[in-house]
Amino acid sequence: MVWLAILVIGLVVLYFGALIASYIYKRKHNIPVGECAHCAKRKQRLVKEYRKAYNKN
């Protein structure tokens, strides 16, 4: 039973470590995090559609 508790604690630590590492990576590479991430995705899609519709050619 002790090994099961150690395994669960280890998995929880790995999970939260991955979340923190992902956040640090996004902040370091200027990728939006939190609520701004949703707006940034919408903005990129809108700009892409605009460029497709109003191409200079």
Side-chain angles (χ1 to χ4, degrees):
M1 277 315 235
V2 174
W3 63 270
L4 183 61
I6 293 172
L7 179 66
V8 169
I9 291 171
L11 290 175
V12 169
V13 168
L14 283 174
Y15 176 74
F16 282 111
L19 286 178
I20 293 169
S22 172
Y23 179 79
I24 291 171
Y25 175 83
K26 287 180 180 181
R27 295 294 293 178
K28 186 169 178 108
H29 289 92
N30 295 322
I31 299 171
V33 293
E35 293 182 24
C36 292
H38 180 67
C39 295
K41 286 180 184 178
R42 284 190 4 206
K43 181 193 72 143
Q44 289 173 353
R45 183 174 42 107
L46 183 63
V47 170
K48 185 177 179 180
E49 290 176 5
Y50 174 81
R51 288 181 179 158
K52 187 176 180 180
Y54 297 104
N55 194 359
K56 290 187 177 183
N57 294 336

